[in-house]
Amino acid sequence: MTDTLFSKIINREIPADIVYEDELCLAFRDINPQAPVHILVIPKKPLVDLAASTPEDEPLLGHLLHTAGKIAADEGYGDAFRIVINNGEKAGQSVFHLHVHILAGRDFTWPPG
Ligand code: DGP
């Protein structure tokens, strides 16, 4: 996988508003928020997307989702938040380092756009 902006954020080469970090993941506020709370949770392991994950990544993927729920709660929206993972350009992925969007603080419609 080639380096993306997100590996530069992990390595503190470019700044970000980091809200959470542990040995497996980093979470920071999206630069172009689509809701009052818009945070990205990324694995430190450089996975391009969800489709590139393997069975050995299952604990990591679970950790990303569990952490996303905890962050939503910490932000005051533990009861109502949306999780999005865009996989592939046609699905809206623009940064090719797996990331979980946490969106909260407004009403959401279904189906999503
Ligand atoms: P996606 O379209 O699913 O690949 O989402 C990528 C998100 O990443 C998008 O919502 C904007 C955000 N983003 C892109 N570049 C940066 C950056 O340099 N810093 C931060 N904080 N967010 C970024």
Side-chain angles (χ1 to χ4, degrees), residues 5-6 9 14-16 28-32 38 40 86 92-95 99 101:
L5 281 171
F6 290 177
I9 289 175
I14 60 173
F28 53 90
R29 295 189 194 281
D30 195 292
I31 206 167
N32 182 25
H38 188 171
L40 304 173
N86 295 323
Q93 186 176 5
S94 60
V95 179
H99 47 284
H101 294 259

Side-chain angles (χ1 to χ4, degrees), residues 28-98:
F28 53 90
R29 295 189 194 281
D30 195 292
I31 206 167
N32 182 25
Q34 302 301 310
V37 172
H38 188 171
I39 291 168
L40 304 173
V41 187
I42 67 172
K44 289 186 174 174
K45 175 178 175 176
L47 273 172
V48 172
D49 56 21
L50 193 58
S53 67
T54 66
E56 83 171 22
D57 296 316
E58 283 180 14
L60 173 61
L61 297 176
H63 181 71
L64 295 177
L65 284 182
H66 182 68
T67 301
K70 283 201 304 190
I71 292 171
D74 288 347
E75 293 285 320
Y77 294 99
D79 58 338
F81 59 93
R82 180 168 286 183
I83 295 297
V84 173
I85 298 175
N86 295 323
N87 189 102
E89 212 169 329
K90 280 189 185 165
Q93 186 176 5
S94 60
V95 179
F96 292 88
H97 181 130
L98 175 64

